[in-house]
Amino acid sequence: MSARTLPLLFLNLGGEMLYILDQRLRAQSIPGEKARKGEAGWTRPGTGFFVFTVMNDIITTMFNKKFMEELFKPQDLYSKKALRTVYDRLAHASIMRLNQASMDKLYDLMTMAFKYQVLLCPRPKDVLLVTFNHLDAIRDFVRDAPSILNQVDETFRQLIEMYTPLSAGEFQLIRQTLLIFFQDMHIRVSIFLKDKVQNSNGRFVLPISGPVPWGTEIPGLIRMFNHNGDEVKRTKFTTDGNYVIPQREGSFDLYGDRVLKLGTNMYSVSKPVETHMAGSSKSLASRAKENITPNPLAKEEMNFLARLIGGLEIKEPGGNETGFRLNLFTTDEEEEHAALTRPEELSYKVISIEATQEPARQEELARILGELDVAEPRAGSTAKGEDLLALMDAL
């Protein structure tokens, strides 16, 4: 497992989330310019209902300086439920609200899109180009907001500084860590099924043709060398694929042509997108329950949630403002049906906290997850719990 995987996972999934939200904001007739770049906001006649800069609010929170500092510290990946909780908070960093079924669908689309991109990367280092494609698009979302644009550019510079010096072997470890994270997720997405890149069981169909990785040759030739390193024989063989050599390598600079198209916005042309649980995923989830109780007392998990969630504030509507609901389904009826048919083991609505050890620490964890209101520490709180609260206050 690579300790440098978390920033790439978070930023790429976050980029996919922003693509989806941008598409749905426009599909639900929320003025794109106001919802994305906006001025002070706009009012629906007769309602006093303000829609502020939803995309800007989320991107501002996502690229918060202290949040990024914690994210870029070397650390292992944590459970899927912990990361899902972070994105739940991030999606609600504005006055926009999603109900449980829409949030489930949003997360499904995010994870399956990025999983497909990781699988298609010609070489492990290209995961970084996929990340740059996401950040390039995010930069475009906030091009008229200089302060937010500076936040995104600063993260860009951190990525370049941290990842461009890494060896091919280190990128291979990062890619393997990502694939391990996604290996049990087989959710069918209509846009992938329609393009025949996903089977009915939720598994992706990988192409056997196309460009070869940069710096490599087209398959079809075997060279043999002697003990002195001299080539002594060549043997050709035929392949079933139709391969091409890429014209140039993608740019790893702050600005430039990435060449690779993975990670660009596939929702730029509006298409209805549905998600469905594949049968194999349901049975797997039933056996393993996908860490339905992910050891909530583990110190590392608590610190992870404290550092990440502590920096994500949910914006509550105030005054005359009223939060608006975003629906990722075509109709409210479809959303309600999805909520009713969602496998129970994949629901993220209820967080189980074991009640047999250290009640004070459990209460602190509950505060982190937003289940309880923040109150004064109880008498007898452990030193670790006090440190955890101090860390949250600092954020």
Side-chain angles (χ1 to χ4, degrees), residues 326-344:
L326 185 68
N327 184 357
L328 267 74
F329 295 82
T330 306
T331 64
D332 289 344
E333 289 73 18
E334 287 183 18
E335 189 178 47
E336 293 170 3
H337 177 73
L340 293 173
T341 57
R342 185 74 174 174
E344 183 179 353

mmCIF file of all heavy atoms in Angstrom, residues 326-344:
data_model
loop_
_atom_site.group_PDB
_atom_site.id
_atom_site.type_symbol
_atom_site.label_atom_id
_atom_site.label_comp_id
_atom_site.label_asym_id
_atom_site.label_seq_id
_atom_site.Cartn_x
_atom_site.Cartn_y
_atom_site.Cartn_z
ATOM 1 N N LEU A 326 -31.227 19.057 -4.484
ATOM 2 C CA LEU A 326 -30.798 18.619 -5.811
ATOM 3 C C LEU A 326 -31.129 17.142 -5.959
ATOM 4 O O LEU A 326 -30.799 16.335 -5.097
ATOM 5 C CB LEU A 326 -29.293 18.841 -5.986
ATOM 6 C CG LEU A 326 -28.734 18.537 -7.377
ATOM 7 C CD1 LEU A 326 -29.268 19.553 -8.377
ATOM 8 C CD2 LEU A 326 -27.212 18.570 -7.370
ATOM 9 N N ASN A 327 -31.796 16.796 -7.051
ATOM 10 C CA ASN A 327 -32.203 15.419 -7.305
ATOM 11 C C ASN A 327 -31.368 14.861 -8.452
ATOM 12 O O ASN A 327 -31.360 15.430 -9.544
ATOM 13 C CB ASN A 327 -33.695 15.390 -7.666
ATOM 14 C CG ASN A 327 -34.223 13.978 -7.845
ATOM 15 O OD1 ASN A 327 -33.473 13.007 -7.763
ATOM 16 N ND2 ASN A 327 -35.522 13.864 -8.094
ATOM 17 N N LEU A 328 -30.647 13.766 -8.220
ATOM 18 C CA LEU A 328 -29.838 13.155 -9.262
ATOM 19 C C LEU A 328 -30.627 12.163 -10.107
ATOM 20 O O LEU A 328 -30.060 11.519 -10.984
ATOM 21 C CB LEU A 328 -28.606 12.466 -8.664
ATOM 22 C CG LEU A 328 -27.365 13.372 -8.635
ATOM 23 C CD1 LEU A 328 -27.499 14.414 -7.556
ATOM 24 C CD2 LEU A 328 -26.106 12.562 -8.443
ATOM 25 N N PHE A 329 -31.904 12.039 -9.832
ATOM 26 C CA PHE A 329 -32.769 11.167 -10.621
ATOM 27 C C PHE A 329 -33.667 12.015 -11.515
ATOM 28 O O PHE A 329 -33.813 13.222 -11.309
ATOM 29 C CB PHE A 329 -33.621 10.277 -9.710
ATOM 30 C CG PHE A 329 -32.824 9.298 -8.908
ATOM 31 C CD1 PHE A 329 -32.203 9.689 -7.726
ATOM 32 C CD2 PHE A 329 -32.671 7.983 -9.332
ATOM 33 C CE1 PHE A 329 -31.449 8.792 -6.981
ATOM 34 C CE2 PHE A 329 -31.922 7.082 -8.592
ATOM 35 C CZ PHE A 329 -31.303 7.481 -7.418
ATOM 36 N N THR A 330 -34.302 11.384 -12.492
ATOM 37 C CA THR A 330 -35.162 12.113 -13.421
ATOM 38 C C THR A 330 -36.390 12.668 -12.734
ATOM 39 O O THR A 330 -36.807 13.798 -12.984
ATOM 40 C CB THR A 330 -35.595 11.197 -14.583
ATOM 41 O OG1 THR A 330 -34.425 10.620 -15.187
ATOM 42 C CG2 THR A 330 -36.367 11.968 -15.632
ATOM 43 N N THR A 331 -36.968 11.885 -11.828
ATOM 44 C CA THR A 331 -38.169 12.321 -11.096
ATOM 45 C C THR A 331 -38.012 12.014 -9.617
ATOM 46 O O THR A 331 -37.164 11.207 -9.209
ATOM 47 C CB THR A 331 -39.427 11.605 -11.623
ATOM 48 O OG1 THR A 331 -39.304 10.194 -11.353
ATOM 49 C CG2 THR A 331 -39.606 11.818 -13.117
ATOM 50 N N ASP A 332 -38.863 12.650 -8.802
ATOM 51 C CA ASP A 332 -38.864 12.371 -7.366
ATOM 52 C C ASP A 332 -39.260 10.926 -7.092
ATOM 53 O O ASP A 332 -38.768 10.305 -6.141
ATOM 54 C CB ASP A 332 -39.819 13.315 -6.639
ATOM 55 C CG ASP A 332 -39.297 14.745 -6.603
ATOM 56 O OD1 ASP A 332 -38.085 14.937 -6.864
ATOM 57 O OD2 ASP A 332 -40.098 15.656 -6.313
ATOM 58 N N GLU A 333 -40.165 10.387 -7.945
ATOM 59 C CA GLU A 333 -40.610 9.003 -7.742
ATOM 60 C C GLU A 333 -39.440 8.026 -7.913
ATOM 61 O O GLU A 333 -39.305 7.058 -7.150
ATOM 62 C CB GLU A 333 -41.727 8.656 -8.730
ATOM 63 C CG GLU A 333 -43.064 9.344 -8.446
ATOM 64 C CD GLU A 333 -43.055 10.829 -8.787
ATOM 65 O OE1 GLU A 333 -42.147 11.253 -9.545
ATOM 66 O OE2 GLU A 333 -43.938 11.554 -8.289
ATOM 67 N N GLU A 334 -38.593 8.269 -8.915
ATOM 68 C CA GLU A 334 -37.423 7.411 -9.118
ATOM 69 C C GLU A 334 -36.476 7.494 -7.918
ATOM 70 O O GLU A 334 -35.900 6.489 -7.501
ATOM 71 C CB GLU A 334 -36.686 7.821 -10.391
ATOM 72 C CG GLU A 334 -37.402 7.448 -11.670
ATOM 73 C CD GLU A 334 -36.584 7.806 -12.904
ATOM 74 O OE1 GLU A 334 -35.365 8.019 -12.758
ATOM 75 O OE2 GLU A 334 -37.166 7.872 -13.999
ATOM 76 N N GLU A 335 -36.333 8.674 -7.379
ATOM 77 C CA GLU A 335 -35.458 8.854 -6.222
ATOM 78 C C GLU A 335 -35.989 8.090 -5.019
ATOM 79 O O GLU A 335 -35.238 7.419 -4.292
ATOM 80 C CB GLU A 335 -35.340 10.345 -5.907
ATOM 81 C CG GLU A 335 -34.291 10.673 -4.847
ATOM 82 C CD GLU A 335 -34.190 12.158 -4.607
ATOM 83 O OE1 GLU A 335 -35.239 12.811 -4.451
ATOM 84 O OE2 GLU A 335 -33.068 12.677 -4.554
ATOM 85 N N GLU A 336 -37.296 8.188 -4.793
ATOM 86 C CA GLU A 336 -37.909 7.475 -3.673
ATOM 87 C C GLU A 336 -37.781 5.967 -3.857
ATOM 88 O O GLU A 336 -37.515 5.232 -2.895
ATOM 89 C CB GLU A 336 -39.378 7.876 -3.546
ATOM 90 C CG GLU A 336 -39.575 9.327 -3.123
ATOM 91 C CD GLU A 336 -41.025 9.769 -3.237
ATOM 92 O OE1 GLU A 336 -41.876 8.904 -3.593
ATOM 93 O OE2 GLU A 336 -41.311 10.953 -2.979
ATOM 94 N N HIS A 337 -37.982 5.491 -5.094
ATOM 95 C CA HIS A 337 -37.858 4.054 -5.367
ATOM 96 C C HIS A 337 -36.431 3.580 -5.114
ATOM 97 O O HIS A 337 -36.216 2.506 -4.533
ATOM 98 C CB HIS A 337 -38.261 3.758 -6.809
ATOM 99 C CG HIS A 337 -38.091 2.317 -7.194
ATOM 100 N ND1 HIS A 337 -38.923 1.323 -6.733
ATOM 101 C CD2 HIS A 337 -37.152 1.700 -7.987
ATOM 102 C CE1 HIS A 337 -38.532 0.156 -7.226
ATOM 103 N NE2 HIS A 337 -37.460 0.364 -7.992
ATOM 104 N N ALA A 338 -35.455 4.386 -5.514
ATOM 105 C CA ALA A 338 -34.058 4.014 -5.289
ATOM 106 C C ALA A 338 -33.741 3.922 -3.807
ATOM 107 O O ALA A 338 -33.007 3.032 -3.363
ATOM 108 C CB ALA A 338 -33.129 5.031 -5.961
ATOM 109 N N ALA A 339 -34.324 4.823 -3.022
ATOM 110 C CA ALA A 339 -34.091 4.792 -1.579
ATOM 111 C C ALA A 339 -34.667 3.529 -0.957
ATOM 112 O O ALA A 339 -34.074 2.947 -0.035
ATOM 113 C CB ALA A 339 -34.692 6.033 -0.930
ATOM 114 N N LEU A 340 -35.819 3.088 -1.475
ATOM 115 C CA LEU A 340 -36.468 1.904 -0.919
ATOM 116 C C LEU A 340 -35.780 0.611 -1.340
ATOM 117 O O LEU A 340 -35.784 -0.369 -0.595
ATOM 118 C CB LEU A 340 -37.935 1.860 -1.361
ATOM 119 C CG LEU A 340 -38.838 2.965 -0.792
ATOM 120 C CD1 LEU A 340 -40.215 2.893 -1.438
ATOM 121 C CD2 LEU A 340 -38.943 2.845 0.726
ATOM 122 N N THR A 341 -35.195 0.590 -2.530
ATOM 123 C CA THR A 341 -34.599 -0.643 -3.063
ATOM 124 C C THR A 341 -33.103 -0.733 -2.807
ATOM 125 O O THR A 341 -32.492 -1.734 -3.162
ATOM 126 C CB THR A 341 -34.849 -0.739 -4.575
ATOM 127 O OG1 THR A 341 -34.314 0.424 -5.224
ATOM 128 C CG2 THR A 341 -36.329 -0.846 -4.867
ATOM 129 N N ARG A 342 -32.496 0.269 -2.223
ATOM 130 C CA ARG A 342 -31.060 0.239 -1.960
ATOM 131 C C ARG A 342 -30.750 -0.880 -0.973
ATOM 132 O O ARG A 342 -31.400 -0.985 0.070
ATOM 133 C CB ARG A 342 -30.606 1.573 -1.365
ATOM 134 C CG ARG A 342 -29.103 1.708 -1.147
ATOM 135 C CD ARG A 342 -28.403 1.897 -2.463
ATOM 136 N NE ARG A 342 -26.980 2.160 -2.275
ATOM 137 C CZ ARG A 342 -26.110 2.256 -3.254
ATOM 138 N NH1 ARG A 342 -26.513 2.114 -4.493
ATOM 139 N NH2 ARG A 342 -24.850 2.502 -3.029
ATOM 140 N N PRO A 343 -29.775 -1.764 -1.272
ATOM 141 C CA PRO A 343 -29.432 -2.828 -0.321
ATOM 142 C C PRO A 343 -29.077 -2.248 1.033
ATOM 143 O O PRO A 343 -28.319 -1.277 1.129
ATOM 144 C CB PRO A 343 -28.204 -3.492 -0.968
ATOM 145 C CG PRO A 343 -28.354 -3.213 -2.426
ATOM 146 C CD PRO A 343 -28.983 -1.855 -2.513
ATOM 147 N N GLU A 344 -29.632 -2.827 2.076
ATOM 148 C CA GLU A 344 -29.454 -2.285 3.415
ATOM 149 C C GLU A 344 -27.991 -2.191 3.825
ATOM 150 O O GLU A 344 -27.568 -1.248 4.486
ATOM 151 C CB GLU A 344 -30.213 -3.150 4.420
ATOM 152 C CG GLU A 344 -30.147 -2.621 5.855
ATOM 153 C CD GLU A 344 -30.925 -3.498 6.817
ATOM 154 O OE1 GLU A 344 -31.610 -4.426 6.348
ATOM 155 O OE2 GLU A 344 -30.834 -3.258 8.027
#
